[in-house]
Amino acid sequence: MKPYLDRAAFYLTCGSLVSILFSIALSQILLALALAALLLSSERLRLPPIKAPLALFMLGTIVSLLLSGHIRDGTPQIRKFLVLLILLLVYSTFRSIAEIRAIVLLWSVVATLSAVRSLFQFWHKYQQSQEQGQNFYNFYIGERITGFMSHWMTFGGEEMIILLLLASYLFFSKYERWKTAGCICAAVLAVSMVLGLTRSIFLLGFPIGLLYLLWFWHRWLVAAAPVVALLAFLVAPQVLKERVTSILQPHGETDSNKHRTITRRAGLEMIRAHPWFGLGPEQVKAQFEQWVPADIPRPLPDGWYGHLHNIYLQYAAERGIPTLLAFLWMIGKILWDFARALRNKLANTEARFVLHGAVAVVLAILAEGLLEYNVGDSEVLTLFLAVVSFGYLAREAADVAV
């Protein structure tokens, strides 16, 4: 019975990882079943070697909650700790680079189907704007493509992570069998991601991750990248050009420039007043209005004020600077461990594509996190934690010849 439970935990974990691309409810049901199977199996329970900073981050969150005076309101962030079980499940049940590669390819297929759906959504939205005689840019920005997801930020974040892993597979893997299909998936995902017009993703997070991969694949492409980007901009459709130039020339309140300035300033006020333990989980949303600086006119511009649209400000304002530092320690250790493994001569060269892909994803998340609270989405967080686990599994496998 034990061998069947061992593999059941693995397959249920795989199901949770893949289903997160279209159903968070199904993914979390499978996550719970995978945990039960793992606990009943003969597999040794393992966590990646980031236990100390992860424990401090969780402890900081709990202390912040207890001191906030709003314990009931903050419990959703404690429940989100369940997503961290992905680290335990992946690291305990996956056994080889081949299994990681299979998940990357499955992710790519499902994400491509979601991207295809998003292309039809884009065309439908364009037709709607024409039928209603509205400017397409103004019509579209407030209600963008989502694929199988409920929000464009979640959708774009998933595409960014999977596209970077797929690119790493195409660049560095010696396993050629699925590369033609992988190139097709990459093209569809790239088009969909750009048409999502989420600036923090297609202009910041993804380019940072891609430039890292190009540097270690063919460095001359890094020098060519600005030229390619300029040519792409010149031939891009008008809506894309407007989105790029909106960084400096926003369309009034249609773009989030003013809104992000306000969330940034309010976040800094929160941190100055509560540097050690923050306001408490979920209190940025509940107390936002009272922290908006007095010189900002009311009513506030349109936008979502439920969080600060910045990982670093969000964690510091919500949970305190020490908890933010624990998070940064964890991220720094992950990057250091993966980079050190890549500097060594790898006996298992397939581990290289996983390690490079993991580094690219972490860098992209950090860069995008300057403009968005991306790991606040359970879907994006699930993929991110899985990628971290994959990186540590690849580091172990790097010393095993195949």
Side-chain angles (χ1 to χ4, degrees):
M1 186 66 177
K2 288 288 187 181
Y4 293 104
L5 286 173
D6 294 349
R7 288 288 83 185
F10 167 72
Y11 287 117
L12 287 167
T13 299
C14 292
S16 179
L17 294 180
V18 174
S19 60
I20 197 66
L21 298 178
F22 55 85
S23 171
I24 188 172
L26 176 59
S27 176
Q28 295 192 340
I29 289 170
L30 293 174
L31 184 148
L33 292 174
L35 178 63
L38 177 62
L39 293 176
L40 293 171
S41 74
S42 60
E43 295 280 11
R44 182 165 61 95
L45 300 183
R46 303 197 311 151
L47 279 170
I50 54 173
K51 293 185 280 292
L54 180 61
L56 286 176
F57 176 79
M58 296 173 70
L59 178 62
T61 301
I62 293 169
V63 171
S64 172
L65 175 66
L66 294 176
L67 296 177
S68 69
H70 302 276
I71 294 177
R72 180 178 295 180
D73 295 339
T75 53
Q77 290 303 317
I78 303 302
R79 289 198 298 271
K80 189 161 283 192
F81 284 171
L82 294 175
V83 180
L84 299 178
L85 290 171
I86 288 293
L87 291 169
L88 174 70
L89 289 166
V90 172
Y91 205 60
S92 300
T93 62
F94 277 69
R95 298 174 180 172
S96 68
I97 298 297
E99 291 174 346
I100 296 173
R101 183 176 59 229
I103 286 295
V104 171
L105 293 173
L106 282 171
W107 272 347
S108 300
V109 170
V110 176
T112 299
L113 293 175
S114 185
V116 169
R117 184 171 191 258
S118 77
L119 298 181
F120 284 102
Q121 290 173 339
F122 184 87
W123 177 244
H124 179 64
K125 290 176 185 296
Y126 177 77
Q127 288 182 314
Q128 283 184 311
S129 70
Q130 297 303 297
E131 290 170 0
Q132 297 176 25
Q134 296 189 38
N135 176 275
F136 178 61
Y137 186 94
N138 295 332
F139 179 86
Y140 178 65
I141 292 301
E143 196 64 37
R144 283 170 261 167
I145 54 177
T146 59
F148 294 150
M149 292 290 98
S150 60
H151 196 279
W152 56 86
M153 285 299 310
T154 305
F155 177 55
E158 288 182 339
E159 287 187 312
M160 178 184 75
I161 291 173
I162 293 169
L163 188 52
L164 287 171
L165 286 174
L166 180 57
S168 188
Y169 163 72
L170 295 173
F171 294 166
F172 301 110
S173 175
K174 296 185 181 299
Y175 190 80
E176 300 289 337
R177 182 175 181 182
W178 299 105
K179 285 198 172 181
T180 300
C183 289
I184 296 171
C185 289
V188 175
L189 285 169
V191 171
S192 173
M193 184 183 67
V194 172
L195 291 181
L197 297 188
T198 302
R199 293 175 298 186
S200 61
I201 291 173
F202 85 96
L203 292 178
L204 184 58
F206 179 74
I208 292 293
L210 182 61
L211 286 173
Y212 165 83
L213 293 176
L214 292 176
W215 178 262
F216 288 97
W217 185 45
H218 294 305
R219 291 187 179 179
W220 65 269
L221 289 173
V222 174
V227 177
V228 174
L230 177 60
L231 292 174
F233 175 78
L234 293 175
V235 300
Q238 184 61 30
V239 66
L240 182 56
K241 291 180 179 178
E242 287 188 61
R243 190 57 172 163
V244 173
T245 57
S246 71
I247 298 172
L248 299 175
Q249 299 175 331
H251 302 69
E253 294 186 12
T254 300
D255 297 304
S256 59
N257 300 37
K258 290 182 180 179
H259 158 246
R260 298 297 173 87
T261 299
I262 294 169
T263 58
R264 181 170 61 251
R265 290 188 59 191
L268 291 172
E269 292 295 322
M270 296 173 191
I271 296 166
R272 289 190 189 101
H274 299 274
W276 293 103
F277 303 107
L279 298 176
E282 300 293 321
Q283 288 307 298
V284 167
K285 177 181 179 181
Q287 300 184 34
F288 185 84
E289 286 282 344
Q290 72 187 65
W291 294 100
V292 177
D295 64 306
I296 293 177
R298 308 299 178 96
L300 299 179
D302 291 338
W304 171 249
Y305 293 98
H307 56 69
L308 300 177
H309 300 276
N310 181 300
I311 293 175
Y312 315 101
L313 291 178
Q314 181 72 23
Y315 282 150
E318 187 178 68
R319 310 175 197 204
I321 293 174
T323 302
L324 169 63
L325 293 177
F327 171 76
L328 294 176
W329 174 21
M330 181 176 68
I331 295 297
K333 179 171 172 34
I334 291 167
L335 289 173
W336 173 263
D337 289 344
F338 294 172
R340 187 169 59 178
L342 284 163
R343 284 198 300 268
N344 297 330
K345 185 176 182 180
L346 304 182
N348 183 347
T349 55
E350 275 298 281
R352 185 173 298 277
F353 104 78
V354 181
L355 286 164
H356 275 312
V359 172
V361 167
V362 173
L363 293 177
I365 288 289
L366 290 176
E368 191 211 346
L370 292 168
L371 298 174
E372 189 54 55
Y373 180 39
N374 44 26
V375 291
D377 280 330
S378 293
E379 297 92 338
V380 174
L381 181 60
T382 296
L383 294 185
F384 176 70
L385 294 173
V387 170
V388 169
S389 299
F390 289 162
Y392 276 109
L393 287 165
R395 191 181 73 150
E396 288 183 354
D399 296 327
V400 181
V402 292

